[in-house]
């Protein structure tokens, strides 16, 4: 892998000559080149910053020195690896995590643009997108003074995943964040230290017991320190996902999911006039007033929803939707049951509409006890199903 870093503080990257990364560079496993942005200036004051358009405190980094510096990086870099990734540390970037580190470790060439002052003129990124895969990255939700610290962290997180950089690749497997669990506690000699003893099991030589203890420690630590990492995702167990009332903040994602789900219904039922496909986001926002709506999120993504509406003594279950990639895991059945449970006490019948050719839906509703209603369905190509409310 080749890594180029452009900065006005080259010495900030000196730590990359140390330890594992330094050894990997000397072993030719990794090629890191640090460039001084001021080398790309043309004025005798080697100016890289100027006052911000629109006023405000601080200075902004000028675009031309960046263009010249990045051109020099491209000219000096490996010819046969295509468009390099240009990683631009910024407080608003994609936050680094182990998945991102793994993704970057598969890249042949990374280029880092280290900003300082109030940041880099935004046009530099727009211009660079013609020659680089540009990705703003962040270390986390706190403010640093520049991008160099982020480059140190990202380079270490990525380089240690490269073959041969970490002595025994084995040790990479059981690490925190590698499989979503935090690491287990570690101990070394002496077995008793200042009255503190190493857990017995670790001295037992019983590797199966040690492995069980260590896994248990990882689960407990993760549950205590990072419960967010344990939040079940649809992938692992839809039944574990929370069904919560929708809020206005959910509407944009809900609107997109609705369109995605009903496009599929329209393909199945071409003759049906489907309201969900003709609604605006404002219509959906307005519907929240008299259509209690619930949503399900998996790892932050809105993946399913349902709503209810009282029509006389009918509790009409509607807009039951599950993200196409998560169908067939019981999430639809779960939401149907939830909507039924939310029926007001005055409701005596559950009703719903679906496409006459929507076999999967019809099968699920039939299994849930729904049958065609005595009254005809007012919508051509659709069916109206009902089921008595049993309390
Ligand atoms: C690049 C300039 C400083 C930021 C005015 C303070 C990353 N996780 C992170 N937090 N902050 C950065 C970061 C900060 C930077 C630059 C990255 C370039 N600054 C600016 C905006 C507010 N000053 C970061 N990665």
């Amino acid at each position: 892998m080749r890594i180029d870093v452009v900065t006005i503080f080259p010495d900030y990257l000196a730590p990359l000559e140390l330890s594992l990364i330094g050894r990997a560079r000397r072993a030719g496993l990794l090629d890191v080149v640090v460039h001084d942005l001021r080398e790309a200036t043309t004025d005798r004051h080697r100016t890289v910053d100027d006052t911000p358009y629109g006023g405000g405190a601080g200075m902004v980094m000028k675009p031309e020195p960046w263009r010249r510096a990045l051109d020099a990086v491209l000219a000096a870099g490996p010819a046969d690896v295509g468009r390099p990734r240009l990683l631009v540390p910024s407080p608003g970037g994609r936050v680094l995590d182990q998945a991102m580190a793994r993704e970057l470790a598969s890249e042949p060439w990374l280029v880092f643009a280290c900003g300082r002052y109030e940041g880099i003129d935004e046009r530099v990124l727009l211009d660079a997108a013609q020659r680089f895969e540009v990705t703003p990255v962040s270390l986390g939700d706190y403010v640093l003074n520049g991008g160099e610290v982020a480059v140190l962290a990202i380079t270490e997180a990525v380089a240690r995943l490269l073959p041969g950089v970490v002595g025994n690749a084995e040790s990479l497997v059981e690490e925190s964040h590698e499989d979503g669990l935090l690491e287990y506690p570690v101990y070394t000699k002496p077995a008793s230290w200042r009255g503190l003893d190493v857990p017995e099991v670790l001295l037992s030589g019983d590797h199966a017991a040690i492995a069980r203890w260590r896994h248990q420690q990882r689960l407990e630590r993760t549950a205590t320190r990072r419960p967010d990492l344990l939040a079940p995702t649809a992938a692992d167990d839809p039944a574990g996902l929370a069904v919560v009332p929708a809020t206005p903040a959910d509407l944009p994602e809900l609107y997109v999911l609705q369109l995605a789900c009903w496009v599929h219904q329209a393909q199945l039922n071409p003759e049906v006039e489907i309201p969900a496909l003709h609604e605006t986001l404002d219509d959906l926002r307005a519907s929240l007033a008299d259509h209690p709506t619930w949503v399900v999120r998996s790892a932050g993504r809105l993946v399913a929803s349902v709503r209810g509406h009282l029509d006389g003594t009918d509790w009409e279950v509607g807009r039951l939707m599950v993200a196409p990639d998560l169908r067939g895991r019981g999430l639809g059945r779960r939401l149907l049951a939830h909507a039924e449970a939310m029926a007001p006490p005055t409701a005596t019948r559950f009703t719903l509409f679906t496409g006459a050719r929507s076999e999967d839906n019809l099968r699920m509703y039939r299994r849930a006890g729904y049958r065609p209603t005595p009254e005809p369905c007012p919508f051509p190509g659709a069916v109206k199903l009902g089921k008595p409310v049993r309390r």
Side-chain angles (χ1 to χ4, degrees), residues 241-292:
L241 298 173
V243 181
V244 299
T247 70
D250 296 315
L251 288 172
E253 285 171 276
L254 185 56
Y255 188 60
V256 170
L257 181 64
Q258 179 170 293
L259 293 175
C261 291
W262 267 271
V263 162
H264 177 57
Q265 291 306 309
Q267 288 157 347
L268 291 172
N269 307 272
E271 73 287 4
V272 178
E273 181 67 24
I274 297 179
L277 289 177
H278 302 286
E279 257 179 19
T280 66
L281 180 55
D282 289 340
D283 295 332
L284 195 57
R285 185 170 287 107
S287 74
L288 277 189
D290 59 355
H291 288 73

Side-chain angles (χ1 to χ4, degrees), residues 334-389:
R334 193 142 167 268
L335 279 169
L336 179 60
H338 182 86
E340 290 174 2
M342 292 297 122
T346 54
T348 60
R349 182 175 71 162
F350 298 120
T351 59
L352 53 85
F353 297 91
T354 191
R357 304 170 194 273
S358 303
E359 295 308 324
D360 297 353
N361 296 359
L362 289 166
R363 189 179 314 107
M364 177 181 72
Y365 294 137
R366 181 164 193 75
R367 286 194 186 134
Y370 285 81
R371 298 291 182 273
T373 55
E375 71 276 16
C377 176
F379 310 116
V383 294
K384 182 175 184 178
L385 304 176
K387 171 174 90 169
V389 173

Side-chain angles (χ1 to χ4, degrees), residues 90-115:
S90 75
R94 177 184 161 195
V95 175
L96 175 71
D97 60 9
Q98 194 61 13
M100 186 177 181
R102 279 197 298 271
E103 173 197 320
L104 294 176
S106 66
E107 295 282 352
W109 189 7
L110 303 178
V111 178
F112 288 99
C114 297

Side-chain angles (χ1 to χ4, degrees), residues 89-91 115-119 137-147 150:
S90 75
R116 278 275 152 176
Y117 308 100
E118 299 312 302
V137 293
S138 168
L139 275 193
D141 299 342
Y142 42 83
V143 181
L144 302 169
N145 288 336

